[in-house]
Amino acid sequence: MIWPKKKLPDLQGIPLSLNGFRVRLRPPVLSDYEDWTNIRGKNKNYLTPFEPRWHEKALEKDFFQRRIARQHKDWKDGRAYSFLIIDRQNEKLIGGINVNHVCRGASQCGSLGYWIDEELQGQGLMAESLRLVIDFSFDQAGLHRLNAACLPRNDRSINLLLKLGFEEEGFAKKYIRINGVWEDHRLFGLINQKA
Ligand SMILES: CC(C)(COP(=O)(O)OP(=O)(O)OC[C@H]1O[C@@H](n2cnc3c(N)ncnc32)[C@H](O)[C@@H]1OP(=O)(O)O)[C@@H](O)C(=O)NCCC(=O)NCCS
């Protein structure tokens, strides 16, 4: 298969938008800094048990700018796709989804990472957001497979993946360093049935 199937929008000034009923997803831009640092700061205690250890400057502007530059370059190179989740009711930033570690060649796969504001959990907003990213990954980015890895204690995330059609495929010991500790993970996969 030749990638990409369709030409992906160049991020320089052309904001791609994935529109659902309650959420809109788009790549982050520099002007998101205030909203991003506020929501990530507010959710720090909630999110750190599930994420790689935060850099000490993780909420600072320089860090965010470097992050955006890297994310835009990765997008352009077809190596990763980053999205922010916007609540369509009030235009507020409420979370994020990344398609990381995109492998092309004979693999055509990517790995999902996602988070949402603790206050808004359990309302199906992440399920709706992930469905948009799954469609983007398969229909626009031309991926054949999405991978996801969950801490065995992260029931909420595991149930969400199963609800979206992911299948459990394995168990990886000491797979990702979460908050400073190498942690075992349950592995899930979703295959693009159209490609
Ligand atoms: C994982 C996370 C993104 C889920 O977001 P969410 O808003 O709760 O997701 P949704 O509401 O769209 O879907 C929730 C689904 O999870 C399951 N779920 C909800 N609450 C649950 C709970 N307390 N225990 C177990 N499963 C639960 C259900 O299957 C639910 O589906 P339903 O709507 O049919 O009931 C969110 O909890 C989060 O940001 N967690 C911290 C970061 C994280 O864990 N990221 C993923 C790393 S693998």
Side-chain angles (χ1 to χ4, degrees), residues 9-75:
D10 179 353
L11 282 183
Q12 307 304 318
I14 309 174
L16 171 86
S17 181
L18 308 178
N19 297 310
F21 288 111
R22 293 182 293 164
V23 294
R24 177 169 57 248
L25 275 68
R26 60 164 177 75
V29 290
L30 286 175
S31 56
D32 289 316
Y33 172 67
E34 291 299 332
D35 293 340
W36 189 83
T37 196
N38 286 338
I39 190 171
R40 294 284 295 175
K42 177 185 140 198
N43 281 281
K44 186 171 183 190
N45 290 340
Y46 165 58
L47 292 175
T48 46
F50 300 106
E51 297 190 352
R53 179 172 281 162
W54 287 22
H55 190 278
E56 57 183 12
K57 296 187 173 165
L59 297 175
E60 292 183 14
K61 195 165 190 174
D62 284 0
F63 187 92
F64 183 75
Q65 285 170 340
R66 282 198 297 278
R67 182 185 159 91
I68 296 289
R70 193 188 67 240
Q71 288 178 338
H72 285 197
K73 184 168 188 320
D74 282 349
W75 183 293

Side-chain angles (χ1 to χ4, degrees), residues 46-47 50-51 114-116 120-128 149-151 154-157 159-160 163:
Y46 165 58
L47 292 175
F50 300 106
E51 297 190 352
Y114 43 88
W115 62 275
I116 195 166
L120 298 174
Q121 301 190 100
Q123 300 179 25
L125 292 165
M126 184 52 79
E128 184 181 333
C150 292
L151 289 167
N154 196 347
D155 290 339
R156 191 177 278 270
S157 184
N159 289 341
L160 174 58
K163 189 170 96 167

